[in-house]
Amino acid sequence: MMNADKKTARISGLWYLAIAIFYSFSMIYVDSVFLVSGNIEATVNNIQSSPILFKLGFVSCLAGHICFLFLVNALYKLLHSINRDWARLMVIFVVAGVSVALLNRLNQAAVLLLLDSGNSLSTLTTIQLHAMVLFLLEVHHQGEMMAVLFWGLWLLPLGLLIFKSGFIPRIIGILLICACVCYLIDFF
């Protein structure tokens, strides 16, 4: 591997690390702090008691999505010489997935707007407010499942590119293709 490719590979690794940090904070830590399965009242109370942490989780996830775009750009630079069509397909799937995921975050932002006590919806009863928050969180969950489709699909061209690369162990390509299949099974 040439020096430029090594630098690009290292940059890809740094983007992966940034994604892992941002997504772990938002999707693992923050979600576990706020979301109480089957108990919308507890979920609403958790969000209202610590809106700054909820917002930090929101922003952290957005940052992770943006890093994902930089990652796929670096991977494209590294792997496009192997097969341009597969490399472009990889980029298309990531851009589509990030687009769905970013739009889906609007549902989370809407939850914050609903729970803002100074907004024009303050005339809602507690039951109505909780029903709307529950609905938005359910729509958010469904949106995440739509993004899962693209998070899986991008792994297929990436796995094929890595398998054919000759400078990355083939087993990684095989594992990525298997991960693609697992994501698709989870989606369906």
Side-chain angles (χ1 to χ4, degrees):
M1 188 186 299
M2 297 187 305
N3 283 341
D5 287 342
K6 283 184 181 181
K7 182 180 178 185
T8 304
R10 287 186 181 120
I11 290 169
S12 297
L14 290 174
W15 285 120
Y16 257 121
L17 179 61
I19 290 167
I21 291 168
F22 287 126
Y23 282 170
S24 294
F25 177 72
S26 66
M27 294 181 194
I28 296 173
Y29 174 69
V30 172
D31 284 357
S32 71
V33 167
F34 290 102
L35 304 178
V36 181
S37 181
N39 189 340
I40 190 61
E41 186 175 337
T43 298
V44 168
N45 288 337
N46 289 343
I47 295 168
Q48 287 178 322
S49 68
S50 190
I52 292 174
L53 182 60
F54 191 77
K55 289 175 187 176
L56 282 174
F58 175 82
V59 170
S60 179
C61 196
L62 294 180
H65 295 329
I66 292 166
C67 289
F68 205 170
L69 294 173
F70 284 103
L71 167 66
V72 80
N73 181 57
L75 289 172
Y76 179 84
K77 287 179 185 177
L78 184 65
L79 301 170
H80 76 277
S81 62
I82 297 160
N83 185 307
R84 282 197 190 278
D85 290 335
W86 291 349
R88 273 189 287 245
L89 190 59
M90 172 185 70
V91 171
I92 289 167
F93 285 145
V94 169
V95 169
V98 167
S99 298
V100 168
L102 285 171
L103 285 172
N104 185 47
R105 287 287 148 185
L106 287 174
N107 293 306
Q108 227 179 9
V111 167
L112 286 170
L113 289 173
L114 272 174
L115 296 177
D116 180 12
S117 60
N119 70 28
S120 60
L121 299 174
S122 60
T123 58
L124 294 174
T125 68
T126 300
I127 293 171
Q128 291 170 326
L129 181 69
H130 287 185
M132 289 179 75
V133 168
L134 180 61
F135 175 76
L136 288 169
L137 291 175
E138 278 299 315
V139 171
H140 174 70
H141 174 71
Q142 294 303 315
E144 282 183 341
M145 291 309 297
M146 286 176 57
V148 162
L149 175 65
F150 296 104
W151 298 155
L153 287 174
W154 92 284
L155 295 173
L156 179 62
L158 176 61
L160 292 169
L161 289 164
I162 287 175
F163 185 81
K164 292 281 191 178
S165 71
F167 57 87
I168 301 173
R170 286 182 160 207
I171 188 67
I172 294 174
I174 293 168
L175 291 172
L176 288 169
I177 293 167
C178 291
C180 169
V181 172
C182 292
Y183 268 99
L184 295 178
I185 289 170
D186 183 46
F187 175 77
F188 289 110

